[in-house]
Amino acid sequence: MVNPASRTQSIELSQIRKMFEVTNPDAINLGIGEPDFNVPENIKIAMKNSIDNNETHYTPNKGIIELREAIVDKFKKDNGIKTNPENIIVTAGASEGLFMCAQAFFEAGDEIILPNPSFLSYEACITLSGAKIVSVDCSMENEFKLKAEDVLEKISSDTKAVMLNSPSNPTGAVMEKEDIKAIADLSMDHDFLIISDEIYEKIIYDKNHYSPAKYSDNVITLNGFSKTYAMTGLRIGYLTANENYTEELLKIHQYNIACASTTSQKGAYEALIGSQNEVEKMINEFKRRRDLIVSRLNEMGYETVNAEGAFYVFPKIADEDFVQKAAKTGVITVPGAAFGSNGKNHVRMSYANSYENIEKAMDILEERVVNG
């Protein structure tokens, strides 16, 4: 047997993806990080029409021009980011964008500042690039929010980038404007990149979203359609950066996938220019579910921050066997340690499931795990 590359041996398969392999049809899955809603009808129609019109061939590497123009308008309107179609790359999901960033800019000897806890793909992409992770604690006492002063303490002459994710997976934390702006200022003062993953940007409650690219030129902004428009399986995302950065990113994208799915790009264009009514309904329903799961977990004695965005909660649960116990009762969750050392004694629960199923899951946990 031929030995695999050492870089792949240094990472493990995702514990989250294991949740997709649950075979118990009666299990309530609070482990999956994707909306349980369907793709809005106008987007479906646009994709069907594109196939009927034989729009199934390669597009330009960066994506179809009308989609990139719509993304430029979106960045200007929603984020205060000035960009142009040449500085947009349409990707196979935000995940490809993340991998592109790591491969284009990170190398051995570089230090990448990473919030702890954070989405586990960040650590894997950094490790595969050969760079070193410098962890910054995001404590429950600060509602898991990354603070600028904590980032400042970690900056060195080897700092190449800081990873930001607001709203956050796995905690649902939404960073404060002053911290976003302060870290953006630091990126200019110390000349490092900010990789800003804003995939949950629209799924936010009672707060405003702020993009660091509004305040700094040293930012690569990642986003996509998976979470906002329930288009997870269509693998369609996008990024923007200044022209010096996009040229290097395009090299990775071009030799990796050539271009994103044409059909998905047509759907993404419709998503941006069409009605946003379904998005608003989805966000309102997520907020209703958030209120339910937070209140129930706190009532059970599991201290839970009132997550301000995304569709996750990260309760403090010291019982190391909780995830296994819950699974045996038919409730699937993810151990917090999968997201970094600060995730220990926590469990990630997704409320991207029906209100009724969340109620049922909380009843099961209370009866069979807490009081069982």
Side-chain angles (χ1 to χ4, degrees), residues 62-85:
K62 290 182 179 179
I64 58 177
I65 186 62
E66 58 264 38
L67 173 56
R68 285 184 282 140
E69 289 173 344
I71 292 169
V72 168
D73 291 341
K74 183 262 177 227
F75 274 130
K76 180 180 179 181
K77 175 185 174 185
D78 293 348
N79 308 96
I81 298 173
K82 296 178 181 179
T83 185
N84 61 70

mmCIF file of all heavy atoms in Angstrom, residues 62-85:
data_model
loop_
_atom_site.group_PDB
_atom_site.id
_atom_site.type_symbol
_atom_site.label_atom_id
_atom_site.label_comp_id
_atom_site.label_asym_id
_atom_site.label_seq_id
_atom_site.Cartn_x
_atom_site.Cartn_y
_atom_site.Cartn_z
ATOM 1 N N LYS A 62 -14.040 32.970 -13.438
ATOM 2 C CA LYS A 62 -14.509 33.777 -12.309
ATOM 3 C C LYS A 62 -16.023 33.720 -12.135
ATOM 4 O O LYS A 62 -16.543 34.161 -11.111
ATOM 5 C CB LYS A 62 -14.078 35.232 -12.474
ATOM 6 C CG LYS A 62 -12.582 35.458 -12.318
ATOM 7 C CD LYS A 62 -12.236 36.935 -12.454
ATOM 8 C CE LYS A 62 -10.739 37.175 -12.279
ATOM 9 N NZ LYS A 62 -10.393 38.606 -12.428
ATOM 10 N N GLY A 63 -16.736 33.184 -13.134
ATOM 11 C CA GLY A 63 -18.185 33.117 -13.051
ATOM 12 C C GLY A 63 -18.846 33.975 -14.114
ATOM 13 O O GLY A 63 -18.213 34.854 -14.724
ATOM 14 N N ILE A 64 -20.134 33.742 -14.335
ATOM 15 C CA ILE A 64 -20.856 34.509 -15.349
ATOM 16 C C ILE A 64 -20.912 35.980 -14.942
ATOM 17 O O ILE A 64 -21.052 36.310 -13.763
ATOM 18 C CB ILE A 64 -22.272 33.941 -15.589
ATOM 19 C CG1 ILE A 64 -23.092 33.916 -14.295
ATOM 20 C CG2 ILE A 64 -22.202 32.546 -16.202
ATOM 21 C CD1 ILE A 64 -24.533 33.441 -14.491
ATOM 22 N N ILE A 65 -20.795 36.846 -15.938
ATOM 23 C CA ILE A 65 -20.644 38.274 -15.654
ATOM 24 C C ILE A 65 -21.859 38.855 -14.944
ATOM 25 O O ILE A 65 -21.719 39.683 -14.030
ATOM 26 C CB ILE A 65 -20.327 39.065 -16.945
ATOM 27 C CG1 ILE A 65 -20.029 40.534 -16.613
ATOM 28 C CG2 ILE A 65 -21.445 38.936 -17.966
ATOM 29 C CD1 ILE A 65 -18.823 40.741 -15.722
ATOM 30 N N GLU A 66 -23.085 38.433 -15.342
ATOM 31 C CA GLU A 66 -24.264 39.021 -14.696
ATOM 32 C C GLU A 66 -24.330 38.664 -13.212
ATOM 33 O O GLU A 66 -24.777 39.474 -12.383
ATOM 34 C CB GLU A 66 -25.557 38.611 -15.404
ATOM 35 C CG GLU A 66 -25.793 37.114 -15.494
ATOM 36 C CD GLU A 66 -25.339 36.521 -16.812
ATOM 37 O OE1 GLU A 66 -24.292 36.961 -17.332
ATOM 38 O OE2 GLU A 66 -26.029 35.614 -17.312
ATOM 39 N N LEU A 67 -23.867 37.475 -12.854
ATOM 40 C CA LEU A 67 -23.836 37.096 -11.437
ATOM 41 C C LEU A 67 -22.791 37.921 -10.694
ATOM 42 O O LEU A 67 -23.056 38.433 -9.599
ATOM 43 C CB LEU A 67 -23.546 35.608 -11.287
ATOM 44 C CG LEU A 67 -23.330 35.098 -9.850
ATOM 45 C CD1 LEU A 67 -24.524 35.447 -8.957
ATOM 46 C CD2 LEU A 67 -23.067 33.594 -9.844
ATOM 47 N N ARG A 68 -21.629 38.082 -11.284
ATOM 48 C CA ARG A 68 -20.592 38.871 -10.621
ATOM 49 C C ARG A 68 -21.019 40.332 -10.460
ATOM 50 O O ARG A 68 -20.725 40.964 -9.437
ATOM 51 C CB ARG A 68 -19.271 38.769 -11.388
ATOM 52 C CG ARG A 68 -18.580 37.417 -11.170
ATOM 53 C CD ARG A 68 -17.231 37.355 -11.838
ATOM 54 N NE ARG A 68 -17.336 37.139 -13.270
ATOM 55 C CZ ARG A 68 -16.572 37.738 -14.178
ATOM 56 N NH1 ARG A 68 -15.661 38.627 -13.807
ATOM 57 N NH2 ARG A 68 -16.717 37.460 -15.455
ATOM 58 N N GLU A 69 -21.734 40.855 -11.437
ATOM 59 C CA GLU A 69 -22.241 42.224 -11.312
ATOM 60 C C GLU A 69 -23.275 42.322 -10.197
ATOM 61 O O GLU A 69 -23.290 43.313 -9.437
ATOM 62 C CB GLU A 69 -22.848 42.666 -12.644
ATOM 63 C CG GLU A 69 -21.817 42.917 -13.728
ATOM 64 C CD GLU A 69 -22.430 43.198 -15.092
ATOM 65 O OE1 GLU A 69 -23.641 42.895 -15.272
ATOM 66 O OE2 GLU A 69 -21.712 43.726 -15.965
ATOM 67 N N ALA A 70 -24.111 41.298 -10.071
ATOM 68 C CA ALA A 70 -25.102 41.285 -8.991
ATOM 69 C C ALA A 70 -24.421 41.184 -7.632
ATOM 70 O O ALA A 70 -24.869 41.780 -6.644
ATOM 71 C CB ALA A 70 -26.081 40.134 -9.193
ATOM 72 N N ILE A 71 -23.327 40.432 -7.562
ATOM 73 C CA ILE A 71 -22.577 40.306 -6.310
ATOM 74 C C ILE A 71 -21.932 41.642 -5.944
ATOM 75 O O ILE A 71 -21.905 42.042 -4.772
ATOM 76 C CB ILE A 71 -21.523 39.182 -6.426
ATOM 77 C CG1 ILE A 71 -22.225 37.816 -6.518
ATOM 78 C CG2 ILE A 71 -20.563 39.209 -5.239
ATOM 79 C CD1 ILE A 71 -21.298 36.666 -6.887
ATOM 80 N N VAL A 72 -21.422 42.356 -6.939
ATOM 81 C CA VAL A 72 -20.855 43.695 -6.695
ATOM 82 C C VAL A 72 -21.919 44.604 -6.083
ATOM 83 O O VAL A 72 -21.663 45.309 -5.097
ATOM 84 C CB VAL A 72 -20.319 44.302 -8.007
ATOM 85 C CG1 VAL A 72 -20.004 45.790 -7.819
ATOM 86 C CG2 VAL A 72 -19.069 43.566 -8.457
ATOM 87 N N ASP A 73 -23.118 44.581 -6.651
ATOM 88 C CA ASP A 73 -24.212 45.398 -6.122
ATOM 89 C C ASP A 73 -24.574 44.986 -4.701
ATOM 90 O O ASP A 73 -24.852 45.834 -3.845
ATOM 91 C CB ASP A 73 -25.441 45.270 -7.020
ATOM 92 C CG ASP A 73 -25.250 45.930 -8.384
ATOM 93 O OD1 ASP A 73 -24.344 46.772 -8.510
ATOM 94 O OD2 ASP A 73 -26.004 45.580 -9.316
ATOM 95 N N LYS A 74 -24.573 43.683 -4.471
ATOM 96 C CA LYS A 74 -24.888 43.167 -3.133
ATOM 97 C C LYS A 74 -23.866 43.659 -2.105
ATOM 98 O O LYS A 74 -24.221 44.113 -1.013
ATOM 99 C CB LYS A 74 -24.909 41.637 -3.179
ATOM 100 C CG LYS A 74 -25.293 40.975 -1.861
ATOM 101 C CD LYS A 74 -24.055 40.543 -1.093
ATOM 102 C CE LYS A 74 -24.476 39.965 0.252
ATOM 103 N NZ LYS A 74 -23.701 40.482 1.369
ATOM 104 N N PHE A 75 -22.575 43.572 -2.437
ATOM 105 C CA PHE A 75 -21.530 44.024 -1.518
ATOM 106 C C PHE A 75 -21.674 45.521 -1.209
ATOM 107 O O PHE A 75 -21.495 45.947 -0.069
ATOM 108 C CB PHE A 75 -20.144 43.751 -2.102
ATOM 109 C CG PHE A 75 -19.613 42.370 -1.807
ATOM 110 C CD1 PHE A 75 -19.109 41.578 -2.829
ATOM 111 C CD2 PHE A 75 -19.577 41.874 -0.521
ATOM 112 C CE1 PHE A 75 -18.606 40.313 -2.567
ATOM 113 C CE2 PHE A 75 -19.073 40.612 -0.238
ATOM 114 C CZ PHE A 75 -18.587 39.829 -1.274
ATOM 115 N N LYS A 76 -21.981 46.304 -2.225
ATOM 116 C CA LYS A 76 -22.132 47.748 -2.021
ATOM 117 C C LYS A 76 -23.311 48.056 -1.111
ATOM 118 O O LYS A 76 -23.207 48.848 -0.166
ATOM 119 C CB LYS A 76 -22.307 48.442 -3.372
ATOM 120 C CG LYS A 76 -22.471 49.950 -3.266
ATOM 121 C CD LYS A 76 -22.650 50.583 -4.646
ATOM 122 C CE LYS A 76 -22.841 52.091 -4.543
ATOM 123 N NZ LYS A 76 -23.033 52.701 -5.889
ATOM 124 N N LYS A 77 -24.440 47.397 -1.385
ATOM 125 C CA LYS A 77 -25.673 47.667 -0.649
ATOM 126 C C LYS A 77 -25.625 47.132 0.780
ATOM 127 O O LYS A 77 -25.978 47.840 1.734
ATOM 128 C CB LYS A 77 -26.849 47.051 -1.396
ATOM 129 C CG LYS A 77 -28.181 47.154 -0.656
ATOM 130 C CD LYS A 77 -29.277 46.408 -1.396
ATOM 131 C CE LYS A 77 -30.571 46.391 -0.597
ATOM 132 N NZ LYS A 77 -31.618 45.565 -1.251
ATOM 133 N N ASP A 78 -25.211 45.896 0.941
ATOM 134 C CA ASP A 78 -25.306 45.229 2.241
ATOM 135 C C ASP A 78 -24.091 45.410 3.134
ATOM 136 O O ASP A 78 -24.206 45.357 4.361
ATOM 137 C CB ASP A 78 -25.525 43.721 2.049
ATOM 138 C CG ASP A 78 -26.866 43.394 1.425
ATOM 139 O OD1 ASP A 78 -27.710 44.302 1.350
ATOM 140 O OD2 ASP A 78 -27.062 42.236 1.015
ATOM 141 N N ASN A 79 -22.914 45.579 2.522
ATOM 142 C CA ASN A 79 -21.682 45.513 3.296
ATOM 143 C C ASN A 79 -20.831 46.778 3.246
ATOM 144 O O ASN A 79 -19.842 46.872 3.967
ATOM 145 C CB ASN A 79 -20.835 44.328 2.824
ATOM 146 C CG ASN A 79 -21.612 43.030 2.794
ATOM 147 O OD1 ASN A 79 -22.121 42.632 1.755
ATOM 148 N ND2 ASN A 79 -21.743 42.378 3.936
ATOM 149 N N GLY A 80 -21.188 47.704 2.363
ATOM 150 C CA GLY A 80 -20.360 48.898 2.225
ATOM 151 C C GLY A 80 -19.000 48.596 1.636
ATOM 152 O O GLY A 80 -18.030 49.334 1.863
ATOM 153 N N ILE A 81 -18.908 47.513 0.856
ATOM 154 C CA ILE A 81 -17.654 47.107 0.233
ATOM 155 C C ILE A 81 -17.669 47.538 -1.229
ATOM 156 O O ILE A 81 -18.575 47.190 -1.986
ATOM 157 C CB ILE A 81 -17.454 45.574 0.317
ATOM 158 C CG1 ILE A 81 -17.365 45.126 1.789
ATOM 159 C CG2 ILE A 81 -16.203 45.154 -0.446
ATOM 160 C CD1 ILE A 81 -17.325 43.615 1.949
ATOM 161 N N LYS A 82 -16.662 48.293 -1.626
ATOM 162 C CA LYS A 82 -16.530 48.712 -3.017
ATOM 163 C C LYS A 82 -15.650 47.701 -3.753
ATOM 164 O O LYS A 82 -14.495 47.489 -3.387
ATOM 165 C CB LYS A 82 -15.917 50.112 -3.094
ATOM 166 C CG LYS A 82 -16.777 51.197 -2.462
ATOM 167 C CD LYS A 82 -16.093 52.557 -2.536
ATOM 168 C CE LYS A 82 -16.953 53.633 -1.885
ATOM 169 N NZ LYS A 82 -16.283 54.968 -1.921
ATOM 170 N N THR A 83 -16.212 47.074 -4.772
ATOM 171 C CA THR A 83 -15.460 46.105 -5.555
ATOM 172 C C THR A 83 -15.942 46.180 -6.994
ATOM 173 O O THR A 83 -16.704 47.076 -7.361
ATOM 174 C CB THR A 83 -15.619 44.688 -4.965
ATOM 175 O OG1 THR A 83 -14.778 43.764 -5.681
ATOM 176 C CG2 THR A 83 -17.060 44.204 -4.994
ATOM 177 N N ASN A 84 -15.478 45.279 -7.843
ATOM 178 C CA ASN A 84 -15.893 45.265 -9.245
ATOM 179 C C ASN A 84 -15.909 43.814 -9.722
ATOM 180 O O ASN A 84 -15.355 42.930 -9.059
ATOM 181 C CB ASN A 84 -14.962 46.128 -10.106
ATOM 182 C CG ASN A 84 -13.528 45.630 -10.072
ATOM 183 O OD1 ASN A 84 -13.218 44.574 -10.628
ATOM 184 N ND2 ASN A 84 -12.640 46.391 -9.428
ATOM 185 N N PRO A 85 -16.545 43.539 -10.858
ATOM 186 C CA PRO A 85 -16.686 42.149 -11.310
ATOM 187 C C PRO A 85 -15.366 41.411 -11.483
ATOM 188 O O PRO A 85 -15.313 40.184 -11.304
ATOM 189 C CB PRO A 85 -17.419 42.286 -12.647
ATOM 190 C CG PRO A 85 -18.197 43.553 -12.519
ATOM 191 C CD PRO A 85 -17.312 44.470 -11.719
#
